[in-house]
Amino acid sequence: MFDRLKKKLSEFRETVVEKIKKKAEREEVKEEVEEEVEEEVEEEVKEEEKARKEEVAERREEKKKGEREEREVRKTKKKAKGIGTLLKEKGKAILEGKTVLDEKDLEKPLEVLEEALLESDVALSVAEEIISSVRRELVGERKKWGAKTEELVQSALKTALLNVFSAVGEFDFERFVATRVRAKQGLVNIAFVGVNGTGKTTSIAKVAKRLLDRGYSVVLASADTYRAGATEQLETHAANLGLKLIKHQYGADPAAVVYDAVKYAQSNRKEVVLADTAGRMHTSVNLMEQLKKICRVTPPDLVVFVDEAIAGNDAVERAKRFDETVGIDATILTKVDVDAKGGTAISVAHSTSKPILFLGVGQGYEDLQKFNAEWLVERLLG
């Protein structure tokens, strides 16, 4: 899972760690030389101060000149004190084992990291934001090198990745359903949208199983009246889970199917309606208009976009288009278990500003994992 991006992030971490260590070694040698020079300067200042004191003593009888010399002595003392402070700070930096990375140090590693992100299906705008965050974390501040160097670089990467998801926020699906069931006295209408072949129908069955396990009553609506076999596929899942399926004949109005499912749920005190819509390509204007009609006739409480993690930037573009057309509320990403790149989840969340609900990690009904940004980032960073 996410092997490609994981490898690239690891390589970036190792490169930066090596740069920090080498620069720290160079700075330590340089500071040792500077300290020797500054010690010589300090000694000269002391000699100069001694000479001036003697001169002041000899010419004490000349009041005016004496006052001038005393001022010079004070200046000399101040200078000596400043050098002492500088030596103390530099010595402290060496003892603490700290060094400073500048833009030049990270220029090449960050370029390589950005290329790796783009190759791993991270959208350009997202990659740029991650790079900027890493740069802010590592450039310009004194960083502890040695045993904790790798931890510092790891922390910078983790912060950058988590910031992408924190901007979107989290969405607690179970709490949402519970709140809506109480507020609407027993009915939550959820529409699932996306293109064919991405695991949308299977994801609906997984969500239904999750709700059943938590004690909710569920009705399925087969509003995909265009694709051959669509109703039969959902029918199989309904039979396996013991659920009622509302369906019409092929070619029927999809909005009418969802409408009937909602009416059935209301009449029979069912709590949740899960509607499977036709797998529309985001470029199909007529089918997208049908989707708008479904949402207009029976306004859903939640519109969930489903796509596969391995689709990469195609999934990002589709998510944006569906969001523009009907307004998606959240996303489910499927086939995460076979995704070698790992960038789709980051990009979809950032590009739509909508949270990810679940990750599909297998074919079984139980293979639906609640999305957790920390979990995803930990796996990306190894």
Side-chain angles (χ1 to χ4, degrees):
M1 188 186 297
F2 314 136
D3 291 340
R4 184 180 302 181
L5 184 53
K6 185 188 299 183
K7 180 181 178 182
K8 294 296 184 181
L9 291 173
S10 178
E11 289 174 355
F12 171 79
R13 183 173 62 241
E14 292 169 3
T15 300
V16 175
V17 167
E18 188 62 26
K19 278 188 172 290
I20 291 174
K21 289 181 177 178
K22 286 183 177 180
K23 186 166 187 179
E25 290 171 0
R26 290 196 303 271
E27 286 187 351
E28 185 172 1
V29 172
K30 181 181 177 182
E31 288 180 354
E32 286 176 355
V33 173
E34 289 177 347
E35 185 174 343
E36 291 176 3
V37 173
E38 286 165 349
E39 284 177 354
E40 293 178 3
V41 172
E42 186 180 32
E43 189 62 35
E44 290 177 4
V45 170
K46 288 180 179 178
E47 290 295 330
E48 183 180 345
E49 181 182 0
K50 182 179 178 181
R52 289 185 182 280
K53 282 183 178 180
E54 291 175 353
E55 186 178 352
V56 170
E58 291 174 357
R59 304 175 63 181
R60 189 176 297 276
E61 66 280 3
E62 298 180 15
K63 183 178 179 182
K64 190 174 181 180
K65 291 183 179 180
E67 289 176 353
R68 185 171 62 249
E69 293 299 335
E70 285 178 4
R71 286 197 297 271
E72 290 297 326
V73 170
R74 285 197 294 272
K75 288 182 181 179
T76 302
K77 285 183 177 180
K78 186 176 181 181
K79 180 179 178 183
K81 184 178 179 182
I83 292 176
T85 302
L86 177 63
L87 287 169
K88 185 177 179 181
E89 290 178 352
K90 285 184 174 289
K92 183 180 179 182
I94 293 173
L95 290 174
E96 290 180 349
K98 292 183 177 180
T99 191
V100 178
L101 286 176
D102 53 36
E103 291 277 355
K104 187 177 179 181
D105 294 319
L106 287 180
E107 183 178 0
K108 185 61 179 177
L110 287 175
E111 285 179 5
V112 174
L113 177 60
E114 184 171 11
E115 289 175 7
L117 291 169
L118 295 175
E119 290 171 0
S120 299
D121 293 334
V122 176
L124 177 59
S125 60
V126 187
E128 289 174 344
E129 186 171 316
I130 291 172
I131 295 300
S132 295
S133 178
V134 172
R135 183 182 288 110
R136 285 194 301 272
E137 287 288 314
L138 294 179
V139 171
E141 296 293 331
R142 283 195 172 275
K143 299 293 181 181
K144 188 84 172 178
W145 52 269
K148 293 185 178 181
T149 302
E150 187 166 345
E151 292 178 20
L152 285 167
V153 181
Q154 181 93 339
S155 176
L157 285 169
K158 184 175 182 179
T159 298
L161 292 168
L162 287 176
N163 282 343
V164 174
F165 295 109
S166 64
V168 175
E170 295 184 356
F171 187 96
D172 192 322
F173 179 73
E174 279 78 18
R175 180 180 296 176
F176 172 83
V177 172
T179 301
R180 288 303 178 106
V181 165
R182 289 195 299 269
K184 298 184 69 175
Q185 298 181 343
L187 180 62
V188 181
N189 178 22
I190 303 175
F192 292 80
V193 302
V195 301
N196 287 330
T198 59
K200 175 165 55 67
T201 302
T202 302
S203 295
I204 292 171
K206 291 179 180 180
V207 172
K209 177 65 166 59
R210 190 179 184 91
L211 291 170
L212 287 173
D213 289 345
R214 286 158 178 73
Y216 293 103
S217 54
V218 180
V219 176
L220 301 182
S222 181
D224 185 352
T225 61
Y226 296 95
R227 179 170 64 91
T231 296
E232 286 77 6
Q233 183 184 2
L234 194 58
E235 224 166 11
T236 299
H237 290 306
N240 292 340
L241 297 171
L243 297 175
K244 175 67 176 180
L245 173 68
I246 303 300
K247 60 180 181 177
H248 287 189
Q249 63 184 11
Y250 280 103
D253 185 353
V257 178
V258 180
Y259 178 84
D260 286 349
V262 169
K263 289 300 180 183
Y264 174 88
Q266 291 172 335
S267 300
N268 292 272
R269 297 180 180 276
K270 301 297 182 182
E271 294 168 315
V272 184
V273 173
L274 303 180
D276 185 14
T277 63
R280 295 162 172 79
M281 286 302 293
H282 55 292
T283 54
S284 177
V285 177
N286 290 336
L287 291 178
M288 293 297 272
E289 287 300 319
Q290 283 287 340
L291 187 55
K292 286 183 181 179
K293 182 179 178 182
I294 292 174
C295 296
R296 187 170 62 251
V297 173
T298 50
D301 298 293
L302 191 70
V303 177
V304 180
F305 171 74
V306 182
D307 213 317
E308 53 191 8
I310 57 176
N313 283 313
D314 285 343
V316 176
E317 290 305 312
R318 293 194 287 252
K320 289 165 66 177
R321 188 62 181 273
F322 274 94
D323 191 33
E324 291 168 1
T325 303
V326 294
I328 66 174
D329 298 305
T331 298
I332 292 177
L333 286 178
T334 66
K335 305 178 185 179
V336 174
D337 51 317
V338 294
D339 178 20
K341 295 184 177 181
T344 304
I346 302 171
S347 297
V348 167
H350 181 274
S351 299
T352 63
S353 298
K354 303 297 168 60
I356 298 174
L357 293 183
F358 300 108
L359 301 176
V361 293
Q363 293 300 310
Y365 291 128
E366 303 290 345
D367 295 327
L368 189 69
Q369 182 170 315
K370 185 176 181 179
F371 179 75
N372 181 284
E374 288 272 357
W375 176 90
L376 179 67
V377 170
E378 288 295 338
R379 272 146 190 78
L380 286 173
L381 296 178

